[in-house]
Amino acid sequence: MKHYKIATEDVVPLGQKLAFGSGHLANQLFPAALGVFMVVLVMSLGMNPILAGLLGALPRFLDALTDPIMGFISDNTKSKWGRRKPYILVGSVISGIAYMIMWQLNPEDSEMYNFFYFLVVSLFFYIGYTIFATPLIGLGYEMTPDYNERTRLMAVSQFMGQMAWVIAPWFWVIIYDQSLFESAPEGAKVMAIWVGGLCMVLGIMPALFNKEMEVDKSKLKNLSKGELAANTKEFIRGIVLTVKNKQFMKLCGATFFIFNGFQTIAQFSFFIIVYYLFQGDTALAGSWPAWFGTVSALATMFLVIPVVTKISEKIGKRKAFVVATLLSIVGYILKWWGFDPSNPWLMFMPIPFLSFGIGGLFTLMMSMTADVCDLDELNNGERREGMFGAVYWWMVKLGTALAMLSSGVVLQMVGFDESIQVQSVETLTNLRLADIIIPIIAALIAILLVWRYNITEERAHEIKVALVKRRAEIALEDNKSKPKY
């Protein structure tokens, strides 16, 4: 495999990487915290798992629909502050405040009151989240044109993002600590304020400290109200061009299946630890669920991300993705022996393998999507990182929405009863099987989809050289056309 030396101007300084990574820590802390907090709805507010699943799914469908719109707006914004940064700043504030308000729930209120309260406020949260996250992703795609530096940038952002998954599992311990809070709903109220505030501070870092790519503003679409019809036509055209990109759709499909499979069973480990290892005794389960999540995140940070980055530089991103996904399958299989009531410590055995699934996915897929953005510019003459980021994360969020819904359905199908402390042997066996089989099937489908992805380091270098040549020619023509004085 041919390798190329990185140009000095293509290196992203460490400070820039850290600022971008701070945004990703906020971007990951929101969903990580949500996954923990959602347990409160079922276990402490007594909400039916189907209703809790709907609360996770319905707002995400709206979120997924607004992503392409936000991507189009971000790609074509003309302002002295840039195309991305104003939205990152405003979106982080909206989503942070909405998150605080969303969890001000009371057990005294009826199940349906809490359902609709949470649903309405979460719609505002996800609108703010879209305004923040979509331009943030687009910003990352344009920060460097180098094939391997993109992977290093995404590795730093994912490393920092994984801190969210180190921290978030302990929210469960804090929320349920009776020495701190009278009840779990009370704990959720207070912790939501801290989480929302922290995410606001982290989220504005890219807006304050990152640099955007300079683009020719004359080629941007007119976003004025008077151009609504033309804007709509260009918006639809942008989506069509994006989904017609075969290499990109392979990445989207693979992400959809791996993330959907992971999210569907994300809460199952918590339930298996509490109800299988500790017979439903939350006090006895103590911090074991939190340690499971924390060790998983630490393995991703210190093992998966460095290893996957190095493998990618040696054999290419596609092959590195296949290797990482196969290792995650080994981890899912080991879960059967890892969850053992006689020895809880065995639950950590599969984690080094499991962590290669999501850790490898986002480190590589975001880097590969940046390569696709260059290919798109070569084919269509436009920079559309926002649209690509929006469609990519549309697939992620659609997968999340379906996963949240299907998670509740699977819990019902296996016979899980949230009103009792001790679940039946049959229920726990079926739950454990679902925890293993669902993500394995999804991972195998993802490998098949990426198998023919063909943007190698050599091909990416060819695209980069062609773009540099084209931009120079366009700049020369523009200079010739300017009036001489």
Side-chain angles (χ1 to χ4, degrees):
M1 180 177 177
K2 192 172 183 179
H3 298 289
Y4 298 87
K5 184 179 179 180
I6 183 172
T8 303
E9 63 271 17
D10 294 340
V11 176
V12 180
L14 180 60
Q16 293 274 314
K17 288 175 179 174
L18 293 176
F20 181 64
S22 295
H24 272 271
L25 176 50
N27 193 30
Q28 300 249 16
L29 188 55
F30 275 132
L34 271 172
V36 176
F37 278 53
M38 292 296 280
V39 173
V40 176
L41 293 178
V42 176
M43 290 188 62
S44 300
L45 289 167
M47 190 173 289
N48 184 287
I50 296 293
L51 289 178
L54 284 172
L55 286 178
L58 293 177
R60 282 180 168 87
F61 282 120
L62 172 67
D63 188 31
L65 292 173
T66 55
D67 270 7
I69 298 173
M70 190 63 235
F72 179 79
I73 293 172
S74 176
D75 281 340
N76 294 285
T77 292
K78 302 174 184 178
S79 82
K80 63 181 179 180
W81 299 287
R83 298 186 297 163
R84 320 288 185 196
K85 297 200 288 185
Y87 300 113
I88 293 172
L89 178 62
V90 172
S92 64
V93 173
I94 295 173
S95 53
I97 293 174
Y99 191 87
M100 298 177 191
I101 299 171
M102 188 165 63
W103 287 99
Q104 304 309 306
L105 301 169
N106 297 305
E108 297 81 15
D109 295 322
S110 68
E111 180 182 48
M112 294 312 297
Y113 175 88
N114 282 334
F115 174 82
F116 283 108
Y117 172 91
F118 190 96
L119 179 62
V120 171
V121 180
S122 65
L123 294 177
F124 287 97
F125 165 74
Y126 279 107
I127 289 172
Y129 188 50
T130 294
I131 295 172
F132 161 69
T134 302
L136 177 70
I137 301 303
L139 176 65
Y141 292 153
E142 66 187 24
M143 286 177 66
T144 176
D146 185 78
Y147 180 85
N148 287 315
E149 182 67 359
R150 283 171 169 164
T151 304
R152 298 184 195 108
L153 171 65
M154 299 309 171
V156 172
S157 71
Q158 288 304 307
F159 182 92
M160 295 184 68
Q162 281 299 311
M163 294 179 187
W165 304 94
V166 175
I167 299 168
W170 294 94
F171 294 159
W172 182 83
V173 177
I174 296 170
I175 287 170
Y176 279 89
D177 189 335
Q178 294 182 355
S179 67
L180 295 175
F181 304 108
E182 294 180 0
S183 65
E186 186 67 26
K189 287 182 182 181
V190 175
M191 289 302 298
I193 294 173
W194 283 97
V195 171
L198 178 60
C199 286
M200 273 195 287
V201 173
L202 293 168
I204 66 173
M205 292 296 111
L208 296 178
F209 299 110
N210 278 135
K211 295 180 180 179
E212 292 192 22
M213 180 183 189
E214 292 290 335
V215 296
D216 185 352
K217 292 183 179 179
S218 66
K219 294 184 178 181
L220 303 182
K221 309 298 184 295
N222 190 342
L223 297 179
S224 64
K225 293 181 180 179
E227 297 291 327
L228 181 61
N231 288 339
T232 303
K233 183 178 178 181
E234 287 298 326
F235 170 67
I236 295 172
R237 171 180 170 272
I239 293 179
V240 171
L241 286 175
T242 303
V243 299
K244 276 187 174 181
N245 190 309
K246 293 181 181 179
Q247 304 306 316
F248 177 63
M249 293 311 294
K250 291 172 185 176
L251 304 183
C252 287
T255 301
F256 173 83
F257 280 101
I258 286 195
F259 197 65
N260 194 14
F262 171 79
Q263 285 289 89
T264 298
I265 57 95
Q267 297 181 56
F268 290 3
S269 293
F270 172 86
F271 290 123
I272 291 170
I273 292 170
V274 173
Y275 291 98
Y276 180 63
L277 298 187
F278 297 99
Q279 293 75 52
D281 190 332
T282 55
L284 191 61
S287 59
W288 284 100
W291 277 115
F292 185 84
T294 294
V295 172
S296 297
L298 289 172
T300 301
M301 293 170 65
F302 294 102
L303 172 66
V304 175
I305 292 175
V307 168
V308 166
T309 302
K310 286 297 182 183
I311 292 176
S312 171
E313 292 175 359
K314 294 292 184 182
I315 64 175
K317 300 173 188 179
R318 179 183 65 85
K319 292 179 181 178
F321 169 78
V322 173
V323 170
T325 305
L326 289 174
L327 286 172
S328 73
I329 291 176
V330 173
Y332 285 116
I333 294 171
L334 289 175
K335 268 189 171 185
W336 184 258
W337 295 276
F339 288 119
D340 185 349
S342 66
N343 188 359
W345 288 98
L346 286 176
M347 75 171 73
F348 300 114
M349 175 182 63
I351 287 178
F353 298 95
L354 286 172
S355 301
F356 275 91
I358 297 298
L361 175 73
F362 287 118
T363 301
L364 294 169
M365 287 295 173
M366 291 184 67
S367 177
M368 293 160 87
T369 302
D371 297 332
V372 169
C373 290
D374 282 353
L375 177 63
D376 177 68
E377 183 187 357
L378 187 65
N379 292 336
N380 300 304
E382 301 175 21
R383 295 301 303 185
R384 300 185 306 112
E385 291 91 351
M387 182 61 77
F388 275 97
V391 173
Y392 178 82
W393 286 94
W394 181 88
M395 295 295 289
V396 172
K397 292 171 182 178
L398 177 63
T400 302
L402 293 175
M404 294 294 287
L405 187 58
S406 60
S407 180
V409 172
V410 172
L411 283 174
Q412 288 283 91
M413 289 178 63
V414 301
F416 182 84
D417 186 346
E418 71 279 6
S419 66
I420 62 176
Q421 181 173 335
V422 180
Q423 306 292 326
S424 71
V425 174
E426 182 182 4
T427 292
L428 292 173
T429 300
N430 290 335
L431 183 63
R432 294 178 64 210
L433 288 172
D435 187 48
I436 295 169
I437 294 172
I438 291 173
I440 287 179
I441 293 174
L444 291 173
I445 295 173
I447 289 174
L448 291 175
L449 288 172
V450 175
W451 196 256
R452 293 186 180 276
Y453 174 84
N454 62 14
I455 302 181
T456 61
E457 182 176 356
E458 185 172 2
R459 175 60 179 147
H461 182 75
E462 292 171 357
I463 294 170
K464 176 185 173 183
V465 170
L467 287 176
V468 170
K469 181 180 179 182
R470 176 190 287 178
R471 291 168 188 160
E473 291 172 349
I474 292 173
L476 182 62
E477 289 298 320
D478 288 343
N479 287 332
K480 286 181 180 179
S481 64
K482 288 181 179 179
K484 302 292 188 293
Y485 297 98

